[in-house]
């Protein structure tokens, strides 16, 4: 799973209040009553280095889903586990990561973002090393669950650090453009890196490589980040934490089970029903709790709510690219893992450029309302275009154009949604708001993977009915399954177009004035 996503100046550590700066030309002042982030004026002297450190940590978390997928066949052969058990190497990570993200975000608000960031890095590195040395299936799955646990600490802390490090609107736009590109393109980078490591070294290096990423980020974080506990520390909402963690666990498990079992399996629909009930109970409790885990002020802002939904829908839809196009390139065009990863690089390049252009030039002038819906429309068109692929298609003429179109759309979606999902959030809520970004993308990815896999499998099965299973027929059945996945993925993005067009406010984003020092 893709796992998923996450920024205002680290300022002087005194609790003095500064006056709000004048809005920049073309950017509206925050309206009365707006939830304003608590940050002082000024800029962290090493903020661009901090962006590099946080970007490395985010890349490590995001690419871990696809890099391990590349390593799975080799790991299965080495450790001798069955096809039925293979999914748990992926699911163990998704369950721990998806269910504990909101708790991880609130812990960052409680303890301090630097401390949680460094602890998450250290734990993720140790869990990765444990997985790399695995001598049994159980050891590997346990290490993957630990990776998910520490990833749930790391991801929201990383994004909230970025949120509290860049306050200048122009610099924030640049930072989020880069960060959004990393979050969106990490899966493709994982495919390439996983292919190189598996082919030239060993599948275990797909886990060991995280130790190097973490070491670089830990050294940078220890030297650059400001220490200290938040001045305005929220209290932990224990009932809310239990409800949402259990609910997200059930939802992710239910959809993961649907991939290998069926929708009629009691472990599929049963967990989904229980998860839905628990999440409804969580939403009700948050309206009554004295210190809610996820304050409604965070999610009820229209731009913020639209951004969370955009991350959820994009997380579900983008698997139409990364998952099924990978199958097509390797199984139909006979690409090696390395060549498959290289095939995605043009899309990654377009995403990076479009993310920076969008956040620096388009959103400040036009606002998010035309940008994110347009990104959804482009991604939907790219997915629909991929349905034209056939057994005789080639990369340059048939794969690359829709891949570039999808990259354009995803670049417009991710950077903008991540920026606005954390904009204007009070410092005491920065961690949990950042966690919601990751949770939206992670849960969306889990749902998208399960739905697309199930629908694609059904399409292939239906195509084979009454036909001789020759090699040509089998290949065409695979094409039917891929095409079905692309169409449904296009449908997800089409829904995203309607939702974001309806929810995002008109006009350019408001500048949220900083009023108090942030302590990390």
């Amino acid at each position: 799973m893709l796992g998923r996503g996450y920024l205002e100046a680290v300022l002087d550590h005194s609790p003095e209040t500064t006056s709000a700066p004048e809005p920049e030309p073309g950017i509206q002042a925050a309206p009365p009553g707006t939830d304003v982030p608590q940050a002082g004026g000024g800029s962290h002297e090493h903020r661009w280095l901090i962006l590099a450190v946080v970007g490395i940590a985010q890349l490590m978390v995001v690419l871990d889903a696809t890099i391990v997928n590349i390593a799975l066949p080799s790991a299965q052969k080495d450790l001798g586990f069955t096809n039925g058990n293979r999914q748990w190497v992926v699911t163990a990570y998704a369950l721990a990561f998806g269910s504990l993200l909101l708790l991880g975000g609130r812990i960052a608000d409680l303890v301090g973002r630097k401390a949680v960031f460094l602890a998450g890095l250290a734990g993720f590195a140790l869990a990765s090393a444990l997985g790399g040395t695995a001598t049994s299936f159980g050891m590997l799955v346990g290490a993957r669950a630990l990776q998910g646990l520490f990833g749930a600490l790391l991801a929201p802390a990383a994004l909230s650090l970025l949120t509290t490090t860049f306050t200048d609107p122009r610099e924030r736009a640049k930072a989020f453009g880069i960060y959004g590109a990393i979050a969106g393109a990490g899966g493709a980078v994982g495919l390439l890196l996983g292919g190189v490591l598996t082919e030239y070294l060993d599948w275990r290096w797909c886990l060991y490589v995280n130790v190097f990423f973490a070491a670089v980020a830990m050294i940078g974080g220890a030297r650059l980040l400001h220490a200290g506990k938040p001045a305005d520390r929220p209290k932990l909402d224990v009932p809310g934490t239990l409800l949402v963690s259990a609910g997200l666990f059930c939802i992710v498990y239910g959809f993961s089970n649907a991939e290998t079992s069926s929708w009629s399996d009691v472990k599929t629909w049963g967990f989904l029903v229980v998860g839905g009930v628990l999440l409804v109970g969580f939403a009700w409790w948050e309206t009554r709790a004295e210190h809610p885990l996820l304050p409604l002020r965070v999610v009820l802002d229209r731009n913020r709510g639209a951004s969370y939904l955009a991350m959820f829908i994009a997380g579900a839809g983008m698997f139409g690219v990364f998952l099924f196009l990978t199958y097509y390139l390797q199984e139909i065009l006979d690409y090696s893992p390395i060549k498959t990863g290289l095939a995605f690089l043009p899309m990654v390049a377009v995403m990076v450029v479009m993310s920076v252009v969008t956040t620096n030039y388009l959103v400040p002038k036009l606002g998010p309302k035309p940008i994110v819906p347009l990104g959804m429309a482009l991604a939907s068109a790219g997915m629909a275009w991929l349905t034209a692929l056939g057994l005789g298609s080639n990369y340059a003429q048939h794969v690359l154009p829709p891949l570039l179109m999808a990259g354009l759309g995803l670049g417009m979606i991710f950077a903008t949604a991540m920026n606005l999902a954390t904009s204007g959030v009070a410092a005491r809520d920065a961690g949990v708001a950042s966690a919601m970004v990751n949770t939206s993308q992670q849960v969306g990815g889990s749902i998208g993977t399960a739905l697309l896999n199930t629908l694609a499998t059904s399409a292939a099965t239906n195509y084979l009915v009454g036909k001789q299973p020759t090699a040509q027929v089998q290949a065409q059945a695979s094409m039917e399954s891929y095409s079905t996945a692309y169409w449904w993925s296009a449908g997800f993005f089409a829904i995203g177009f309607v939702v974001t067009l309806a929810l995002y406010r008109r006009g350019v984003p408001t500048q949220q004035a900083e009023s108090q020092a942030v302590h990390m």
Side-chain angles (χ1 to χ4, degrees):
M1 307 296 148
L2 289 180
R4 67 337 91 312
Y6 317 136
L7 307 184
E8 296 144 21
V10 177
L11 302 158
D12 106 66
H13 292 275
S14 68
E16 296 175 0
T17 303
T18 62
S19 59
E22 290 295 322
E24 294 192 12
I27 299 188
Q28 304 167 5
T34 300
D35 188 13
V36 177
Q38 301 173 6
S43 297
H44 194 291
E45 63 275 16
H46 300 301
R47 57 196 177 279
W48 295 108
L49 290 175
I50 289 175
L51 171 60
V53 168
V54 170
I56 290 171
Q58 171 66 10
L59 178 63
M60 181 179 70
V61 172
V62 174
L63 65 77
D64 201 66
T66 51
I67 197 173
V68 170
N69 286 342
I70 293 291
L72 264 181
S74 299
Q76 182 178 1
K77 183 178 180 180
D78 193 11
L79 300 180
F81 52 87
T82 65
N83 288 336
N85 285 334
R86 185 171 59 186
Q87 64 140 343
W88 286 105
V89 179
V90 175
T91 302
Y93 178 87
L95 286 173
F97 186 64
S99 61
L100 297 175
L101 273 167
L102 284 176
L103 175 59
R106 189 47 106 195
I107 289 174
D109 293 332
L110 286 164
V111 176
R113 294 173 190 99
K114 177 179 180 178
V116 173
F117 180 75
L118 295 178
L121 282 170
F124 202 94
L126 289 173
S128 298
L130 179 65
T133 59
T135 56
S136 66
F137 171 72
M139 186 175 175
L140 179 59
V141 169
R144 290 286 289 161
L146 282 176
Q147 279 187 308
L149 185 155
F150 285 106
L153 286 176
L154 177 60
L159 182 53
S160 59
L161 280 170
L162 199 57
T163 301
T164 51
T165 299
F166 288 88
T167 48
D168 178 80
R170 291 187 177 91
E171 290 192 346
R172 178 185 171 95
K174 293 177 183 177
F176 266 104
I178 296 169
Y179 192 82
I182 292 172
V189 175
L191 291 173
L192 175 59
L193 186 57
V196 171
L197 293 174
T198 302
E199 188 162 331
Y200 291 110
L201 292 173
D202 185 79
W203 69 267
R204 297 177 185 276
W205 281 96
C206 292
L207 292 163
Y208 288 146
V209 71
N210 290 326
V211 177
F212 296 98
F213 283 125
V216 172
M218 284 185 70
I219 293 170
R223 292 177 61 87
L224 298 173
L225 298 176
H226 288 181
K229 296 179 181 179
D232 184 14
R233 298 174 63 194
K235 294 183 179 179
L236 184 60
D237 172 19
V238 176
T241 298
L242 294 174
L243 283 169
V244 74
S245 297
L248 289 172
F249 179 93
C250 291
I251 292 291
V252 174
Y253 180 86
F255 278 107
S256 297
N257 191 73
E259 292 181 56
T260 53
S261 300
S262 67
W263 293 99
S264 60
D265 188 338
V266 67
K267 284 195 281 188
T268 298
W269 62 262
F271 271 92
L272 291 176
V273 169
V274 171
V277 171
L278 289 172
L279 292 181
V280 169
F282 169 72
W284 170 82
W285 173 255
E286 294 305 275
T287 65
R288 304 173 62 87
E290 184 177 357
H291 303 285
L293 175 68
L294 181 62
L296 294 184
R297 61 180 174 269
V298 172
V299 296
L300 291 184
D301 176 85
R302 277 184 62 181
N303 277 352
R304 237 178 267 143
S307 296
Y308 293 138
L309 287 172
M311 293 298 297
F312 174 85
I313 293 167
M318 70 187 296
F319 275 90
V321 179
F322 291 134
L323 183 61
F324 292 94
L325 190 55
T326 298
Y327 292 159
Y328 173 77
L329 292 173
Q330 292 191 359
E331 295 181 2
I332 304 300
L333 299 189
D334 200 27
Y335 278 24
S336 68
I338 293 178
K339 193 173 180 181
T340 299
L342 289 172
F344 282 100
L345 286 188
M347 175 187 178
V348 172
V350 168
M351 286 181 66
V352 171
V353 172
M354 200 63 213
S355 294
V356 175
V357 170
T358 295
T359 52
N360 280 279
Y361 302 105
L362 299 182
V363 174
K365 292 181 179 180
L366 303 174
K369 194 174 186 69
I371 302 304
V372 178
L374 178 59
M376 292 286 183
L378 287 171
S380 181
M383 294 296 98
W385 195 348
L386 285 172
T387 62
L389 294 177
L391 296 176
S393 299
N394 63 71
Y395 177 78
Q397 185 177 353
H398 303 106
V399 177
L400 184 59
L403 201 59
L404 294 178
M405 178 174 284
L408 281 172
L410 292 172
M412 299 172 78
I413 295 166
F414 279 110
T416 308
M418 283 188 171
N419 192 344
L420 294 181
T422 54
S423 178
V425 179
R428 66 183 181 276
D429 296 327
V432 74
S434 300
M436 268 299 294
V437 175
N438 293 277
T439 301
S440 300
Q441 187 178 6
Q442 176 66 25
V443 175
S446 297
I447 293 173
T449 302
L451 286 175
L452 294 178
N453 263 325
T454 304
L455 293 165
T457 301
S458 298
T461 302
N462 292 337
Y463 180 84
L464 290 171
V465 172
K467 298 182 177 69
Q468 291 292 330
T470 63
Q472 180 73 12
V473 169
Q474 292 279 11
Q476 191 58 50
S478 295
M479 291 306 305
E480 288 293 320
S481 71
Y482 305 154
S483 180
T484 299
Y486 300 147
W487 275 124
W488 278 91
S489 186
F492 292 158
F493 284 112
I495 293 171
F497 169 81
V498 174
V499 169
T500 54
L501 187 66
L503 290 183
Y504 272 116
R505 294 192 186 101
R506 294 183 180 276
V508 299
T510 57
Q511 176 181 346
Q512 308 295 345
E514 297 88 11
S515 61
Q516 293 184 13
V518 172
H519 297 266
M520 299 196 297

